[in-house]
Amino acid sequence: NAGVTQTPKFQVLKTGQSMTLQCAQDMNHNSMYWYRQDPGMGLRLIYYSASEGTTDKGEVPNGYNVSRLNKREFSLRLESAAPSQTSVYFCASSENNAGRGYTFGSGTRLTVV
Amino acid sequence: GESVGLHLPTLSVQEGDNSIINCAYSNSASDYFIWYKQESGKGPQFIIDIRSNMDKRQGQRVTVLLNKTVKHLSLQIAATQPGDSAVYFCAEMIYNQGGKLIFGQGTELSVKP
């Protein structure tokens, strides 16, 4: 089925550990995004990639890095996880400048202890 | 220290009644607005959108109203059903800023049978 696939779905890390969240889309979208969602809050943009080969910071980029590996894949890396990064992470993709066309993955629930 | 989760605003309605969910957006330069529905454990799903040159748009059982003077957006759901129970987010976009969406806090809609 066409869509956005995120892996893993769940992850528990110890403080200081590193990990990479994977995201892939098969809709040939140009733009991809990483958001985090904390309890009782909306989604906040971490990083985005308007097109293959470009990445830009969003609202809350500190503590994260991203890689737009190719048009399909956009990964989010936590180099040294902190408890404040406990959250649900959503990847999304879209046609350029098309909010209607945003498709979200089902999320990765990350707990840092 | 740890952040404390916020409690989402909650709207409770009887099945069959109309629901109105409100949102105040932040940027007067925003070109485009979207309402998303998020069910528990899932990513946001597109409901309806509106461009800044419009003040009303209707879909199936849903209507979005935009008041740019006071930077206010509302979502009206007609004949609310139990399946409408979810968290609803408004989001705003400025087209020439990479197509990135900025989300509001969200409102939890609870439909009583």
Side-chain angles (χ1 to χ4, degrees), chain A residues 6-107:
Chain A
Q6 290 183 238
T7 56
K9 293 190 184 304
F10 301 94
Q11 183 72 49
V12 178
L13 290 178
K14 294 182 180 179
T15 297
Q17 285 186 315
S18 62
M19 80 161 293
T20 300
L21 280 64
Q22 307 287 353
C23 175
Q25 53 92 8
D26 57 7
M27 296 168 287
N28 203 36
H29 284 166
N30 287 314
S31 304
M32 298 186 73
Y33 311 85
W34 275 106
Y35 287 87
R36 62 177 286 174
Q37 185 175 32
D38 299 310
M41 297 182 70
L43 283 74
R44 292 184 292 169
L45 183 64
I46 305 172
Y47 269 94
Y48 67 103
S49 172
S51 61
E52 186 179 358
T54 69
T55 60
D56 287 286
K57 295 178 180 180
E59 302 169 81
V60 289
N62 291 344
Y64 306 95
N65 286 301
V66 290
S67 296
R68 184 73 183 268
L69 304 170
N70 47 56
K71 191 170 186 179
R72 291 186 63 248
E73 298 172 288
F74 188 39
S75 62
L76 178 71
R77 183 160 178 84
L78 287 71
E79 290 291 351
S80 179
S84 62
Q85 293 178 305
T86 294
S87 190
V88 181
Y89 292 84
F90 288 99
C91 177
S93 70
S94 76
E95 298 290 334
N96 289 338
N97 293 346
R100 172 185 286 265
Y102 260 59
T103 300
F104 284 86
S106 57

Side-chain angles (χ1 to χ4, degrees), chain B residues 63-108:
Chain B
T63 301
V64 55
L65 299 177
L66 174 62
N67 184 332
K68 293 183 291 293
T69 302
V70 295
K71 294 192 290 185
H72 184 267
L73 200 63
S74 69
L75 176 70
Q76 300 177 0
I77 305 174
T80 313
Q81 302 169 0
D84 294 327
S85 294
V87 178
Y88 290 81
F89 293 97
C90 66
E92 58 187 302
M93 178 192 289
I94 301 175
Y95 283 129
N96 65 2
Q97 291 188 5
K100 55 185 179 179
L101 284 175
I102 304 299
F103 283 77
Q105 182 188 13
T107 296
E108 183 172 8

